[in-house]
Amino acid sequence: MEGTILPNEYMVIVGTRPEIVKMAPIVRALEERSLPYIFVHCGQHYDYNMSQQFIEELELPAPTYGFKVRVYSPGLQTGRILALTERVIKKTRPKTVLVEGDTNGVLAAALAAVKLNVPVGHVEAGLRSFDLRMPEEHNRRLVDHISTHLFAPTENSRKNLKRESVWGKIHVTGNTVIDAIIQHLPMAERKSNIINELRFKHFALVTAHRAENVDDPVVLQNFVETFTEAPLPVVYSVHPRTRKRLRQQRLWRKLSSSSNVQLLPPLGYFDFLVAMKNCELLLTDSGGIQEEATAPQIRKPVLVIRLSTERPEAVEAGFASVVGVQKESVLAAMENALKLKGKLPRTSPYGDGKAGKKIVEILTKEDSR
Ligand code: UD1
Ligand code: UDP
């Protein structure tokens, strides 16, 4: 897919569902200032409900370039996205390539840019889980060290970058995930019908997709037992990676036949926002959802079903607890989290919803130097 290219544009590259959500406020800020940009979807996620649905709901333009990369090995996925993005960067010569987060597509696109001497702007720089089992941790560290502009969401992420002596310039901006909630929740509440589709009025909203969790059959089995035995019903939006693993491990039937669990396909952003707003608590290994839980418009306890988090700000502010992956610890944490309702702070450690604007303002200032 190709459109008209103006010279000297920014290039905004996305590839997975969270990148679309978190880049949308930046695209909007570029449009508000009439700054020309090229929008690229590198195709790491390709199902409608993991990609195009988000582009439509977040009112983003059709990608100037869009790919589909259906490969299952991380190396091949990274290599193929590198080759595809290199081609469009070479052809269009953007003045800066903007990437967001920690996926294989982000690493690939940033590498493609830096090898063509095009500066990289890394949105959500400086997060560290210190858990090197995670592909996201490798990707983040590598991208931070080849970026010219590092948009750190918090002071803590700035400290991580300083400690590692990155050569790019660090700017603390807040996280655009909060901007996205503020910009889209009112429309989500008008348009979503998800509440009428749920079997339960009071529920825990669950997601789980991290490779180190769902690709491990023991952890996956623990999750299935935890959700079926949870002290309140579970509404579970199942990521395609996890659906595949549940079927491979023959756990799908146990989960789908449980009277305590409602399984749903990956939800669109509007439905997910409304489900978050109406749940009692969140149980997740997602990164973005840990941040979204802290938004004043959502304000929910979030139990992180992992061994670590790269979002310590959510823990320090009292929203998140890292509860591990063992059934007993997760079930006990759910009981405790139910007591937190209404007692959480009214401000988010991830900013005031103006991160997208700040990032674009910084970019234009830096470019005019
Ligand atoms: C990726 C990111 C992860 C991010 C997540 C957001 C990496 C290493 N991981 O994980 O950091 O949190 O996206 O959701 O980059 N699949 C489909 N349809 C799709 C997309 C994926 O069926 O549209 C299935 C395929 O079987 C694929 C598997 O999910 O092999 C994993 O997809 P992949 O993009 O490699 O990783 P995610 O688990 O989505
Ligand atoms: N999300 C969604 N539908 C879902 C699950 C998540 O719209 O069924 C949104 C969620 O609101 C957040 C983003 O997707 O904005 C998080 O993506 P994910 O958990 O896949 O990735 P991570 O943040 O862990 O990288």
Side-chain angles (χ1 to χ4, degrees):
M1 219 188 315
E2 294 190 19
T4 317
I5 307 298
L6 300 169
N8 213 20
E9 294 173 312
Y10 292 104
M11 180 176 279
V12 176
I13 305 190
V14 298
T16 64
R17 116 181 129 181
E19 291 162 68
I20 302 175
V21 170
K22 290 174 172 179
M23 279 300 203
I26 294 179
V27 169
R28 196 151 299 126
L30 287 168
E31 286 192 345
E32 276 168 16
R33 298 177 70 141
S34 304
L35 293 166
Y37 66 94
I38 305 161
F39 183 46
V40 178
H41 191 295
C42 76
Q44 178 168 344
H45 283 172
Y46 44 84
D47 291 342
Y48 175 80
N49 61 12
M50 299 294 288
S51 53
Q52 184 58 27
Q53 181 171 8
F54 285 80
I55 292 181
E56 289 167 14
E57 288 186 335
L58 288 136
E59 295 180 315
L60 294 169
T64 325
Y65 294 89
F67 310 111
K68 277 191 196 309
V69 185
R70 282 171 195 263
V71 287
Y72 301 115
S73 117
L76 198 55
Q77 185 184 49
T78 311
R80 196 159 297 164
I81 297 173
L82 197 157
L84 289 165
T85 49
E86 181 184 59
R87 212 182 295 158
V88 294
I89 296 168
K90 220 180 207 166
K91 188 168 167 187
T92 57
R93 300 303 309 180
K95 62 176 162 195
T96 301
V97 164
L98 291 171
V99 292
E100 188 286 325
D102 54 17
T103 62
N104 290 340
V106 166
L107 172 62
L111 262 179
V114 81
K115 289 200 176 294
L116 291 168
N117 290 321
V118 174
V120 175
H122 190 200
V123 178
E124 205 179 87
L127 277 64
R128 296 290 181 267
S129 69
F130 306 97
D131 181 350
L132 282 160
R133 296 173 310 151
M134 298 179 68
E136 292 83 2
E137 185 72 358
H138 318 151
N139 294 339
R140 266 188 228 112
R141 285 177 186 247
L142 292 166
V143 176
D144 283 338
H145 284 267
I146 55 173
S147 294
T148 301
H149 310 286
L150 294 126
F151 300 110
T154 63
E155 281 299 332
N156 181 65
S157 37
R158 183 216 285 273
K159 272 190 206 140
N160 288 336
L161 294 167
K162 282 261 180 216
R163 195 180 45 246
E164 291 175 20
S165 304
V166 291
W167 61 265
K169 196 163 170 188
I170 307 166
H171 309 272
V172 178
T173 59
N175 195 308
T176 55
V177 79
I178 305 294
D179 311 22
I181 291 183
I182 294 170
Q183 290 169 12
H184 296 282
L185 187 61
M187 197 193 294
E189 288 186 300
R190 281 197 304 278
K191 292 203 165 171
S192 168
N193 192 35
I194 188 73
I195 293 306
N196 298 328
E197 291 165 27
L198 299 183
R199 290 207 322 250
F200 314 111
K201 189 164 163 30
H202 300 286
F203 58 94
L205 182 61
V206 174
T207 79
H209 72 278
R210 293 280 165 199
E212 74 275 11
N213 279 341
V214 304
D215 290 2
D216 179 335
V218 176
V219 175
L220 193 63
Q221 169 89 33
N222 280 346
F223 281 179
V224 171
E225 288 175 15
T226 306
F227 304 158
T228 53
E229 295 173 33
L232 82 165
V234 158
V235 169
Y236 181 10
S237 146
V238 186
H239 187 285
R241 175 191 282 274
T242 316
R243 183 184 58 218
K244 196 160 111 183
R245 298 292 180 236
L246 286 166
R247 290 199 187 277
Q248 278 169 352
Q249 297 301 321
R250 301 187 182 285
L251 290 167
W252 182 267
R253 191 183 290 268
K254 175 167 182 183
L255 207 49
S256 61
S257 60
S258 165
S259 58
N260 201 42
V261 178
Q262 180 171 6
L263 293 184
L264 295 171
L267 297 178
Y269 185 56
F270 287 173
D271 283 346
F272 199 74
L273 283 181
V274 171
M276 272 197 291
K277 187 156 185 192
N278 286 280
C279 73
E280 303 300 313
L281 63 90
L282 290 149
L283 193 59
T284 190
D285 60 10
S286 161
I289 295 168
Q290 291 175 58
E291 296 154 350
E292 287 169 336
T294 72
Q297 298 76 2
I298 304 290
R299 215 172 147 240
K300 291 286 151 66
V302 54
L303 303 180
V304 183
I305 39 177
R306 284 173 41 185
L307 306 182
S308 65
T309 182
E310 57 294 306
R311 270 100 177 163
E313 304 85 354
V315 178
E316 280 152 28
F319 291 94
S321 321
V322 179
V323 298
V325 294
Q326 299 295 335
K327 183 174 80 176
E328 289 70 23
S329 59
V330 181
L331 291 178
M334 285 180 89
E335 299 276 9
N336 283 333
L338 287 170
K339 298 177 200 145
L340 287 175
K341 206 177 169 188
K343 295 187 186 147
L344 294 168
R346 290 184 185 276
T347 53
S348 167
Y350 297 106
D352 54 5
K354 299 195 179 90
K357 280 197 168 100
K358 280 184 204 154
I359 288 168
V360 170
E361 197 177 310
I362 292 164
L363 275 174
T364 51
K365 275 197 190 134
E366 293 288 321
D367 285 342
S368 62
R369 271 173 208 274

